């Protein structure tokens, strides 16, 4: 049996070798600091992808939905509260946020293949893309809307009668926001009929 | 020969003028339908059936033939005036929003569309 010089061993063997130089405390402290740096860096990077600037850094979003969003109440309103893309499209809790981010990496593939790189291509796919998002919101019980809006906070005195009546009916029926509210911050896809707006004569 | 050329030229000018007149350019049905859809008009109105609000046909018959028909409907769509619903309750009519905001041409087009609805 021959003794192999540790310096000549593979990197994995070297990593597994107990430290002869450093105390357990020093190793634990080093690991702790490295953990903080890694965790902080990871979350800072993930939060950077939640900013409005990041979302509209690609022309696919900047030239289409972003233009429409700027005319909606979620962008500009009496009270000065703004909901940006991630407020509606990215979950707040860490686990679901991470899952959403991993799924969103598919959009990078879309970018590389140019699936919506012109306005015409985007309009052709708008209904499909919108339906995917509506399904996601429905599956999450419109939690991103409900981070700010709630049936219980709706005032019968301050809300118009018809919407209030419909909201209370929706609450009783166990519906969530996205069941009725689509095209809130963007245009509805051409030809799409929202529930309750169908007209068989059209 | 000269006379026929003149007639042809006059006819061309007349056709061009007719095509360029506001009446001929006014109605873009698809744009009007899209604006109605974006504003959820059909939540309370249908083409020929009353819902919470009167049908487009009923509105058309109310205003058709009046000199200020388009302006009256535009006023209705932009002022948020009080309206009576089918159940007798009253509330302010939704103000129609356009992209870009306050684009009167789009709202006039919608008014023209409503006025164009005919009975079956």
């Amino acid at each position: 049996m021959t003794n192999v010089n540790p310096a000549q061993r593979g990197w994995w063997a070297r990593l597994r070798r107990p430290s002869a130089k450093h105390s357990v405390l020093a190793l634990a402290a080093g690991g702790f600091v490295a953990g903080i740096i890694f965790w902080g860096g990871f979350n800072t990077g993930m939060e950077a992808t939640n900013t409005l600037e990041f979302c509209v850094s690609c022309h696919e979003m900047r030239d289409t939905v972003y233009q429409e969003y700027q005319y909606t109440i979620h962008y500009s309103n009496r009270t000065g509260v703004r909901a940006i893309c991630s407020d509606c499209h990215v979950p707040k809790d860490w686990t679901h946020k991470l899952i959403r981010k991993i799924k969103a990496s598919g959009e990078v593939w879309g970018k590389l293949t140019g699936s919506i790189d012109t306005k015409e291509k985007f309009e052709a796919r708008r209904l499909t893309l919108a339906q995917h998002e509506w399904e996601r919101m429905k599956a999450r019980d419109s939690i991103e809307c409900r981070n700010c809006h709630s049936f219980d906070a709706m005032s019968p005195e301050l809300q118009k009668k018809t919407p209030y009546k419909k909201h209370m009916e929706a609450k009783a029926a166990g519906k969530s926001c996205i069941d009725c509210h689509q095209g809130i911050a963007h245009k509805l896809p051409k030809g799409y009929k929202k529930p309750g707006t169908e007209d068989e004569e059209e | 020969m000269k006379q026929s050329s003149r007639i042809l030229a006059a006819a061309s000018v007349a056709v061009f003028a007719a095509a360029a007149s506001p009446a001929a350019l006014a109605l873009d049905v698809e744009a009007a339908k899209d604006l109605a859809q974006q504003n959820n008009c059909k939540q309370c109105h249908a083409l020929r059936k009353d819902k919470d609000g009167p049908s487009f046909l009923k509105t058309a018959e109310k205003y058709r033939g009046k000199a200020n028909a388009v302006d009256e409907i535009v006023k209705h769509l932009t002022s948020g005036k009080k309206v009576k619903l089918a159940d007798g309750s009253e509330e302010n009519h939704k103000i129609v929003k356009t992209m870009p905001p306050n684009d009167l041409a789009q709202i006039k087009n919608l008014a023209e569309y409503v006025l164009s609805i005919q009975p079956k």
Side-chain angles (χ1 to χ4, degrees), chain A residues 4-20:
Chain A
V4 180
N5 183 346
Q8 292 172 324
R9 288 180 193 163
W11 63 271
W12 180 240
R14 265 188 274 168
L15 281 177
R16 291 185 63 204
R17 187 166 53 88
S19 167

Side-chain angles (χ1 to χ4, degrees), chain A residues 104-162:
Chain A
S105 58
E107 290 160 21
V108 177
W109 177 248
K111 172 79 183 171
L112 292 172
T113 55
S115 64
I116 51 167
D117 62 357
T118 66
K119 217 166 180 186
E120 292 71 28
K121 282 189 197 174
F122 179 81
E123 289 304 330
R125 280 184 57 81
R126 186 191 275 255
L127 181 59
T128 310
L129 297 170
Q131 277 169 334
H132 287 166
E133 186 56 8
W134 297 337
E135 280 163 18
R136 188 195 67 78
M137 286 178 152
K138 175 70 183 160
R140 294 267 295 152
D141 203 21
S142 306
I143 183 69
E144 284 82 40
C145 311
R146 293 190 295 105
N147 284 332
C148 297
H149 302 274
S150 111
F151 285 127
D152 294 333
M154 290 172 186
S155 159
E157 284 81 34
L158 297 175
Q159 197 168 80
K160 282 184 189 173
K161 278 180 194 165
T162 306

Side-chain angles (χ1 to χ4, degrees), chain A:
Chain A
M1 195 166 170
T2 55
N3 279 339
V4 180
N5 183 346
Q8 292 172 324
R9 288 180 193 163
W11 63 271
W12 180 240
R14 265 188 274 168
L15 281 177
R16 291 185 63 204
R17 187 166 53 88
S19 167
K21 269 190 196 169
H22 305 292
S23 68
V24 170
L25 187 64
L27 288 172
F32 184 72
V33 171
I36 289 175
I37 292 169
F38 170 77
W39 194 245
F42 182 76
N43 277 308
T44 304
M46 195 155 70
E47 281 310 314
T49 66
N50 261 1
T51 60
L52 181 62
E53 290 72 25
F54 178 84
C55 295
V56 299
S57 60
C58 288
H59 79 277
E60 284 88 344
M61 295 290 107
R62 189 178 56 242
D63 298 346
T64 55
V65 284
Y66 177 59
Q67 299 304 321
E68 300 160 9
Y69 156 68
Q70 290 176 85
Y71 295 123
T72 70
I73 199 158
H74 283 91
Y75 182 82
S76 175
N77 49 63
R78 183 176 54 83
T79 49
V81 180
R82 178 173 292 170
I84 61 168
C85 315
S86 55
D87 289 323
C88 305
H89 296 291
V90 182
K92 291 264 182 277
D93 66 284
W94 195 86
T95 312
H96 287 97
K97 179 160 53 181
L98 186 67
I99 294 169
R100 179 78 188 96
K101 292 289 175 188
I102 292 167
K103 284 186 178 170
S105 58
E107 290 160 21
V108 177
W109 177 248
K111 172 79 183 171
L112 292 172
T113 55
S115 64
I116 51 167
D117 62 357
T118 66
K119 217 166 180 186
E120 292 71 28
K121 282 189 197 174
F122 179 81
E123 289 304 330
R125 280 184 57 81
R126 186 191 275 255
L127 181 59
T128 310
L129 297 170
Q131 277 169 334
H132 287 166
E133 186 56 8
W134 297 337
E135 280 163 18
R136 188 195 67 78
M137 286 178 152
K138 175 70 183 160
R140 294 267 295 152
D141 203 21
S142 306
I143 183 69
E144 284 82 40
C145 311
R146 293 190 295 105
N147 284 332
C148 297
H149 302 274
S150 111
F151 285 127
D152 294 333
M154 290 172 186
S155 159
E157 284 81 34
L158 297 175
Q159 197 168 80
K160 282 184 189 173
K161 278 180 194 165
T162 306
Y164 184 76
K165 195 176 120 202
K166 288 188 174 171
H167 281 137
M168 292 307 112
E169 285 170 1
K171 182 186 174 188
K175 288 184 177 177
S176 78
C177 317
I178 198 64
D179 287 313
C180 303
H181 295 280
Q182 297 131 14
I184 298 300
H186 316 296
K187 277 188 167 184
L188 281 169
K190 257 204 160 67
Y192 173 74
K193 300 284 176 220
K194 276 171 89 166
T197 66
E198 304 89 348
D199 189 348
E200 69 277 6
E201 291 196 278
E202 258 192 322

